[in-house]
């Protein structure tokens, strides 16, 4: 598969998986990644997982997401491609279930891929938005650590 076809599949599948999140469905997320794929949060605050390794661990990480956050809309802001990877910008409208606080988050994803699967996904987002929605840093850290309570999930 050439790079351009791979990029097209990754972007199409990513926005399908994001759309699935608006219905609380996270199953597609694991399938986006290669078996040894990596999900990384370079600017995650201390105490929150910074790296999740492996398709299974990534699927586990996202499985509990709909228990805390509801996305009501996904907005694609831009997709930029180079010979090395993709940059995808999007923002979401939503709320946190426990606090009912709004969750208007912006994301920038730097994605490296092969054969239509994500090899490495760097997820950039504003933790202050998450703190606000989850009732502060303690609620946010509780969420992050619950998502990775399985020893198979990287930290």
């Amino acid at each position: 598969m050439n790079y351009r076809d791979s990029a097209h599949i990754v972007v199409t599948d990513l926005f399908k998986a994001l759309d699935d999140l608006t219905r609380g469905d996270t199953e597609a997320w694991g399938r986006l990644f290669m078996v040894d794929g990596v999900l990384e949060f370079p600017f995650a605050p201390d105490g929150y997982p910074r790296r999740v390794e492996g398709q299974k661990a990534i699927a586990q990480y996202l499985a509990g997401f709909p228990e805390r956050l509801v996305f009501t809309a996904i907005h694609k802001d831009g997709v930029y491609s180079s010979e090395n990877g993709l940059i995808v910008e999007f923002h979401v409208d939503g709320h946190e279930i426990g606090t009912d606080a709004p969750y208007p988050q912006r994301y920038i994803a730097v994605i490296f891929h092969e054969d239509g699967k994500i090899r490495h996904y760097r997820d950039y987002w504003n933790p202050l938005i998450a703190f606000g929605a989850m009732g502060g840093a303690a609620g946010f850290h509780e969420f992050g650590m619950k998502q990775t309570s399985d020893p198979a999930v990287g930290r």
Side-chain angles (χ1 to χ4, degrees), residues 41 43-45 69 90 92 102-108 123-134 140:
F41 310 103
F43 295 140
L69 293 170
F90 60 96
V92 302
Y103 187 76
Q105 186 66 273
R106 298 189 68 84
Y107 294 90
I108 297 173
D123 197 19
Y124 297 90
W125 41 268
N126 184 347
L128 296 177
I129 299 293
F131 285 7
M134 295 181 181
F140 175 72

Side-chain angles (χ1 to χ4, degrees), residues 42-147:
F43 295 140
D46 288 343
Y48 192 86
R50 294 209 169 147
R51 186 177 175 99
V52 182
E53 296 181 16
Q55 186 183 55
K56 182 179 174 185
I58 293 166
Q60 289 173 342
Y61 171 80
L62 289 161
F65 198 85
E67 295 172 12
R68 290 291 299 266
L69 293 170
V70 173
F71 287 177
T72 55
I74 309 290
H75 307 278
K76 184 194 271 185
D77 297 322
V79 176
Y80 312 97
S81 181
S82 76
E83 61 188 63
N84 297 322
L86 297 165
I87 297 172
V88 178
E89 292 182 88
F90 60 96
H91 68 278
V92 302
D93 299 325
H95 65 274
E96 205 275 348
I97 292 172
T99 64
D100 202 32
Y103 187 76
Q105 186 66 273
R106 298 189 68 84
Y107 294 90
I108 297 173
V110 177
I111 299 171
F112 301 95
H113 59 90
E114 293 176 32
D115 298 326
K117 297 287 185 188
I118 295 172
R119 178 171 26 92
H120 195 125
Y121 185 118
R122 290 190 191 126
D123 197 19
Y124 297 90
W125 41 268
N126 184 347
L128 296 177
I129 299 293
F131 285 7
M134 295 181 181
F140 175 72
H141 287 110
E142 174 192 328
F143 170 73
M145 298 319 288
K146 181 180 176 196
Q147 299 303 97

Side-chain angles (χ1 to χ4, degrees), residues 3-19 32 76 78-81 85-90 109 111 113 116-118 121:
Y3 177 81
R4 187 181 180 116
D5 290 344
S6 177
H8 177 74
I9 290 169
V10 166
V11 170
T12 300
D13 290 351
L14 173 62
F15 279 96
K16 166 90 173 69
L18 286 167
D19 190 50
L32 291 173
K76 184 194 271 185
V79 176
Y80 312 97
S81 181
L86 297 165
I87 297 172
V88 178
E89 292 182 88
F90 60 96
I111 299 171
H113 59 90
K117 297 287 185 188
I118 295 172
Y121 185 118

